[in-house]
Amino acid sequence: MHPMTTSDLFLLLQQLGLPADLKPELSQLFDAIDAGHTALQLDRASEESWSRALNQKDLSQLLAVNHQFLQIRRHSAQEKRVALELRRRALTRINPAPIDPLHFMPHADSSQQAAIVGAAARTLAVVSGGPGTGKTTTAAAIVAAKLKILGKTPRISLVAPTGKAAVRLTESFQAACSNMDQPDARLNDVVATTIHRQLNTLSESQVVLIDEASMVSLDLFDRLLKALSPDAHIILMGDPNQLASVEAGNILKTISDSESLSSHCFTLTNRHRIQGQETLATLQDLCLVGDSVGFLECIRESGVFWEPNQSTDRLKTYLLHGLKPYLDRVKTAEQLEAPAFQCLTAIHEGIGGRRFVNHLIQAECQQLGLRGVGERLLVTENQPALGVFNGDIGVVVDSNDTQNPRVRFDTLSTPLMRNQLGWVEPAWAISIHRSQGSEYQSVLVCLPEPSSNGSRFRPSRELLYTALTRAKQSVGLFASERMLQSALQQTTQRVTCLGYFLNE
């Protein structure tokens, strides 16, 4: 959580007057931050001890106690700013003339109609729902309604946390706009980008739609709110049941659960995209409620691929079957479109981990004589000067015989040279966290057994649900029964103070 070592931090804080008996709880706070929390709950006695210690000015500039929770000062300040700004925006009502939601979305169900009418009348709105509930279509209708209400041509910004999510948002948004009875030409050229790419220009936007909001960290959301104009209309969109951001915070879930913002939150309840994918939808629903008995029964009865015994042969066969159409296109030098199949893994190590799967597929590609063509590369650091960001995936279009192969990205009009890229890794298998914001026709979910007894990996319901909801048609599972039961029974609750600040 900090470029200094933990021991360096302890030494610094002790020099500033931190009592030695508070060191264990400070260590717990640092561990909690590494796990994505922004606060550590204290008992009454500890709260009093910390309050006395923080009477010293130097310590109070680094740490804070709020609502019986210990926080680093930066997280405390960020959550207070975010809460204050959201509450301020929630007070603004525009009182428009009544609108007909069916004018903007002719086949909207009752929950979608309520979201369109409610969000159009508010400068802050949250639209949440699971897969197939029509979030983007509803959001497009909301934006179209706001154009009519505002009566001008405002600047519209569509943003998402990752490049892949931005591409998907653009495609879905434009498709939704084209299906309106009377499409608004002002929406024709709206293109989504990553949040990072628009931070410096968001102050010019009057309507801002933020997709995949569950992925947005506290730090990024704080920066985003500060970048917006005071009267901008904000629409947050996502699934609060998915994994929270990799970094600290749980923005979408906390806002969705906040009593003070309940009138600004709209949940889409009907699934429209399940024809032919009933088994997948059932598995997603059973996962969401943590029904391990029903989940395992559905797998067994439906014929879904499931390898519970760590068989590497069955794993390899399933992987190569899923990737065969893509590898066949590579062999025949056809246009290298992204594969419809993706392996998602929970951890790096172990049989079924990212290292194992990526090595297996790379070896197969060598045997096929592809010489690096078609290799998929995951960018693991931001390179804004090049237009690529952490989580973007590119495909190699030249063979290894080329001195400097080109790498093509969906988000860029021209390829980059391989040596321009910083840290990259193979993307035949990617982490479930990194898959957020993406969709694939078919997915293999791997929950490997940790390779050591000391591993801190614990699968969670949110992890499995996120993986299952990346699939559009079918899913396979490489996981023991024990790992699946553990995931379905374990929920992740991030500890923050944002909810307290929102409801003050």
Side-chain angles (χ1 to χ4, degrees), residues 177-239:
C177 291
S178 65
N179 289 329
M180 294 178 183
D181 280 352
Q182 299 179 24
D184 193 320
R186 291 174 293 178
L187 298 175
N188 290 346
D189 299 323
V190 178
V191 176
T193 71
T194 63
I195 297 172
H196 287 94
R197 291 179 187 174
Q198 291 200 51
L199 275 178
N200 293 331
T201 59
L202 280 177
S203 60
E204 304 168 10
S205 300
Q206 288 78 47
V207 179
V208 180
L209 171 63
I210 305 152
D211 193 16
E212 298 292 348
S214 63
M215 298 173 63
V216 179
S217 67
L218 169 63
D219 181 73
L220 183 56
F221 194 61
D222 180 41
R223 293 166 60 194
L224 187 150
L225 288 179
K226 286 192 288 187
L228 294 174
S229 68
D231 58 350
H233 292 229
I234 308 172
I235 306 161
L236 290 169
M237 183 167 70
D239 186 345

Side-chain angles (χ1 to χ4, degrees), residues 210-476:
I210 305 152
D211 193 16
E212 298 292 348
S214 63
M215 298 173 63
V216 179
S217 67
L218 169 63
D219 181 73
L220 183 56
F221 194 61
D222 180 41
R223 293 166 60 194
L224 187 150
L225 288 179
K226 286 192 288 187
L228 294 174
S229 68
D231 58 350
H233 292 229
I234 308 172
I235 306 161
L236 290 169
M237 183 167 70
D239 186 345
N241 295 307
Q242 289 183 20
L243 284 167
S245 58
V246 175
E247 298 175 359
N250 196 4
I251 294 296
L252 182 61
K253 180 68 171 175
T254 305
I255 294 174
S256 299
D257 291 343
S258 171
E259 292 182 8
S260 65
L261 298 179
S262 60
S263 63
H264 295 259
C265 297
F266 305 93
T267 302
L268 307 183
T269 55
N270 298 322
R271 300 182 70 160
H272 302 274
R273 197 182 61 209
I274 63 171
Q275 186 174 2
Q277 297 106 45
E278 289 82 2
T279 296
L280 177 60
T282 299
L283 288 174
Q284 292 167 348
D285 292 342
L286 291 169
C287 177
L288 194 57
V289 297
D291 184 351
S292 58
V293 174
F295 189 91
L296 294 170
E297 185 177 286
C298 179
I299 294 174
R300 294 186 177 103
E301 293 181 353
S302 65
V304 165
F305 172 82
W306 178 31
E307 173 45 52
N309 299 315
Q310 302 279 292
S311 168
T312 57
D313 288 341
R314 289 197 73 203
L315 173 61
K316 180 179 179 179
T317 299
Y318 192 83
L319 286 166
L320 295 180
H321 175 75
L323 287 169
K324 186 178 186 303
Y326 175 77
L327 296 177
D328 285 346
R329 291 198 301 272
V330 175
K331 286 189 292 184
T332 57
E334 293 183 27
Q335 185 175 355
L336 299 181
E337 297 179 357
F341 170 86
Q342 181 64 53
C343 178
L344 307 179
T345 68
I347 57 177
H348 185 67
E349 303 295 338
I351 298 174
R354 291 191 300 283
R355 175 181 293 179
F356 183 94
V357 173
N358 283 322
H359 177 76
L360 188 155
I361 301 301
Q362 284 180 308
E364 183 67 20
C365 290
Q366 286 181 338
Q367 289 187 2
L368 292 172
L370 301 182
R371 304 195 317 278
V373 178
E375 182 180 7
R376 294 173 58 73
L377 297 176
L378 173 73
V379 176
T380 59
E381 66 177 8
N382 292 329
Q383 293 184 269
L386 297 177
V388 293
F389 294 84
N390 187 358
D392 287 352
I393 293 179
V395 59
V396 179
V397 296
D398 298 318
S399 72
N400 292 335
D401 302 332
T402 307
Q403 185 176 5
N404 193 8
R406 294 170 298 159
V407 182
R408 194 188 71 215
F409 291 86
D410 290 340
T411 53
L412 301 178
S413 57
T414 58
L416 297 175
M417 309 309 292
R418 176 65 178 80
N419 67 2
Q420 289 181 281
L421 299 172
W423 292 102
V424 295
E425 61 184 49
W428 302 112
I430 63 175
S431 72
I432 295 171
H433 265 104
R434 288 192 184 277
S435 73
Q436 286 184 273
S438 300
E439 279 187 339
Y440 312 93
Q441 294 299 314
S442 180
V443 162
L444 173 64
V445 181
C446 295
L447 301 181
E449 298 287 336
S451 55
S452 68
N453 292 330
S455 172
R456 297 175 62 182
F457 169 62
R458 298 292 183 273
S460 69
R461 188 182 305 171
E462 292 82 3
L463 184 79
L464 181 56
Y465 176 76
T466 299
L468 293 172
T469 54
R470 298 311 89 205
K472 296 174 68 175
Q473 289 188 351
S474 63
V475 67

Side-chain angles (χ1 to χ4, degrees), residues 95-156:
N95 298 317
I99 63 169
D100 179 6
L102 297 178
H103 174 79
F104 305 99
M105 190 174 173
H107 303 291
D109 62 41
S110 58
S111 66
Q112 291 167 335
Q113 292 182 49
I116 295 168
V117 173
R122 292 165 170 80
T123 57
L124 172 66
V126 179
V127 179
S128 61
T133 55
K135 293 187 292 295
T136 307
T137 305
T138 304
I142 293 169
V143 173
K146 285 185 177 293
L147 290 183
K148 182 176 181 179
I149 291 168
L150 292 172
K152 53 184 179 180
T153 306
R155 174 171 171 169
I156 300 165

